[in-house]
Amino acid sequence: MKILILSCNTGEGHNSAGKALMEYARSQGDEAELVDIMMLAGKHVSRLVGGGYVSVVKHTPALFSALYRIGGLVSSDRHKSPVYYANTLLAGRLKKYLDEHPCDVIVTPHLFPAETITYMKKKKMLTQKVVAIGTDYTCIPFWEETDCDHYVIPHASLIDEFAGKGIPREKLLPYGIPVKPAFSKPGKKPVARAICRIPEDAKVYLIMSGSMGFGKVNLLVAELLTKLAPDEYIIVICGNNQRLRKIMHTAFGRHPQIRILGYTEHISAYMDACDVIFTKPGGLTSTEAAVKGIPIIHTKPIPGCEEKNLAFFTGHGMSVTGRNLSELIRCGQSLLHDRERQDEIRRNQRETLPKDAAANIWRFLRKLTGEAVSPDLPPDARS
């Protein structure tokens, strides 16, 4: 089976979901390729789209919030939006790519390729089946104007929301958000602590600001350091935000109880090394932490879908949060020393989110393309 996974460079979460499926499919002997659809129009367009998105979210969150809410009000399964028409411009380039790189099935963890594909299906430019993957715990605006053959959603409790927006119920597959195998399997804390150069018996906070380095991480760290006990350590991951990393190194780099990192491919190991994690409520990072079994303190969400993610996680007892910086730190301190509460959160995480989403999606793709599948294929949303 040849799988084409189409994503877009607007944050690392969508790519992470695509990479998780790609890694699993390849481990089973199938072919899988992840492509940024905007790259079909050139590196400049990819940088423009990705950079523009990041800039708006990062520097003018109020504008992003307004755009998100407007999108939620105007999006419909009955008429198309400017988002749809913008993405139709890539249809010719994608058709050419598919002609030159044939595949059996297309998967997209991002709305933009789904919009392009919808146009192509309407114009009879596409023969492959298409499976979309939602990477947030809500139906984001404009999913309902797409026409994919199936939609993988994060949880069965979201079926009514997606169906209520106009996506046919029989197309919804509540398999969960795929994460890489490294997150699905428990790691060995002593090994991770050795990699991170942290004493095995220490208590460790992990602070993540997302792949793009959002949030007032420097203020959180500064306040937390004033309350740090001798046996407590902090690991900070700044993502791609080089400016934040420089600020953090200048302010805290010499402190013996803190490690400061930029973007890293070894998030799983750092999660294994920690006891609790501070992170914004992005769909992927939150899912990775929960599948890994890390007690989560959710920081302030980016307005829009992250607010829904936060509500989902706290509502299912998989994370805690605070209204301001002081409350967040109190939550983190309390959780770090409350083993019973940690165990309760881990139990809720295990009972709510599947560890095998990537495997289940892969098995469904095998069935969809007529390939041989194992008898334990999970039932779809219709059964």
Side-chain angles (χ1 to χ4, degrees):
M1 180 172 60
K2 293 183 178 180
I3 307 169
L4 173 62
I5 303 168
L6 290 173
S7 191
C8 184
N9 191 29
T10 55
E12 191 59 26
H14 308 284
N15 293 337
S16 294
K19 289 175 183 176
L21 178 60
M22 179 177 69
E23 185 175 318
Y24 187 86
R26 287 177 174 178
S27 75
Q28 302 302 309
D30 284 328
E31 296 182 36
E33 181 182 17
L34 177 69
V35 174
D36 173 4
I37 193 170
M38 296 299 165
M39 286 293 290
L40 300 180
K43 292 182 180 180
H44 175 72
V45 172
S46 178
R47 286 196 297 267
L48 183 65
V49 172
Y53 174 87
V54 173
S55 180
V56 170
V57 176
K58 195 171 181 180
H59 300 297
T60 54
L63 174 60
F64 180 82
S65 177
L67 292 172
Y68 185 92
R69 296 184 193 285
I70 291 170
L73 292 173
V74 304
S75 61
S76 168
D77 60 325
R78 296 182 298 276
H79 55 79
K80 304 301 185 185
S81 69
V83 176
Y84 170 82
Y85 290 109
N87 284 293
T88 63
L89 300 176
L90 291 168
R93 295 176 187 271
L94 180 55
K95 178 65 166 64
K96 180 181 178 182
Y97 183 88
L98 290 170
D99 288 342
E100 296 173 353
H101 304 83
C103 66
D104 299 305
V105 64
I106 299 172
V107 178
T108 176
H110 199 287
L111 171 70
F112 292 174
E115 299 273 35
T116 307
I117 287 166
T118 297
Y119 174 81
M120 294 175 67
K121 288 182 70 175
K122 183 179 178 180
K123 297 297 183 179
K124 311 296 184 186
M125 299 169 66
L126 196 71
T127 58
Q128 294 89 345
K129 295 287 188 180
V130 181
V131 177
I133 300 176
T135 58
D136 288 292
Y137 291 81
T138 187
C139 183
I140 65 170
F142 308 121
W143 266 128
E144 61 267 34
E145 66 182 16
T146 65
D147 181 23
C148 299
D149 295 284
H150 299 279
Y151 295 80
V152 175
I153 62 175
H155 194 264
S157 66
L158 300 172
I159 289 177
D160 287 344
E161 179 187 346
F162 278 77
K165 292 292 185 68
I167 299 177
R169 189 176 294 266
E170 65 271 14
K171 289 187 175 185
L172 300 174
L173 308 170
Y175 292 164
I177 297 176
V179 299
K180 292 183 178 181
F183 295 98
S184 300
K185 296 177 289 189
K188 296 180 179 179
K189 184 165 287 189
V191 174
R193 292 282 176 90
I195 293 172
C196 297
R197 304 193 302 277
I198 290 174
E200 188 175 334
D201 58 348
K203 295 180 175 64
V204 180
Y205 297 101
L206 175 61
I207 300 176
M208 294 183 61
S209 62
S211 64
M212 293 173 281
F214 292 107
K216 298 179 180 179
V217 178
N218 55 326
L219 300 181
L220 175 63
V221 172
E223 183 68 19
L224 192 57
L225 278 173
T226 66
K227 305 177 186 302
L228 213 62
D231 65 339
E232 295 175 1
Y233 287 77
I234 300 173
I235 300 171
V236 184
I237 299 180
C238 301
N240 289 320
N241 192 328
Q242 295 298 326
R243 181 173 178 272
L244 174 62
R245 187 183 184 190
K246 184 177 180 179
I247 291 171
M248 297 292 290
H249 267 294
T250 300
F252 313 115
R254 295 183 180 276
H255 198 290
Q257 291 170 267
I258 188 169
R259 294 273 329 273
I260 300 168
L261 304 166
Y263 178 81
T264 175
E265 292 282 351
H266 304 291
I267 298 294
S268 175
Y270 287 103
M271 285 188 180
D272 287 330
C274 78
D275 294 294
V276 299
I277 179 173
F278 285 93
T279 180
K280 71 184 187 69
L284 255 296
T285 300
S286 299
T287 302
E288 289 169 345
V291 169
K292 177 69 79 173
I294 308 300
I296 301 169
I297 306 101
H298 269 134
T299 59
K300 185 177 180 179
I302 296 173
C305 56
E306 287 195 357
E307 295 171 322
K308 297 294 184 71
N309 294 340
L310 177 62
F312 183 89
F313 270 75
T314 55
H316 285 81
M318 296 188 292
S319 74
V320 297
T321 191
R323 292 171 296 181
N324 52 49
L325 189 63
S326 296
E327 281 193 11
L328 286 172
I329 289 175
R330 284 198 295 272
C331 285
Q333 288 180 301
S334 174
L335 193 56
L336 186 71
H337 297 280
D338 189 341
R339 183 57 63 86
E340 185 175 330
R341 183 75 176 100
Q342 290 182 24
D343 290 342
E344 179 186 356
I345 289 175
R346 290 191 184 98
R347 182 171 61 252
N348 292 335
Q349 291 170 340
R350 287 195 303 271
E351 293 174 354
T352 304
L353 299 183
K355 292 179 177 286
D356 53 357
N360 288 347
I361 295 168
W362 170 79
R363 292 191 187 105
F364 181 79
L365 296 178
R366 297 281 292 186
K367 180 181 179 182
L368 193 63
T369 57
E371 299 289 342
V373 295
S374 60
D376 60 339
L377 176 72
D380 62 31
R382 289 165 286 177
S383 60

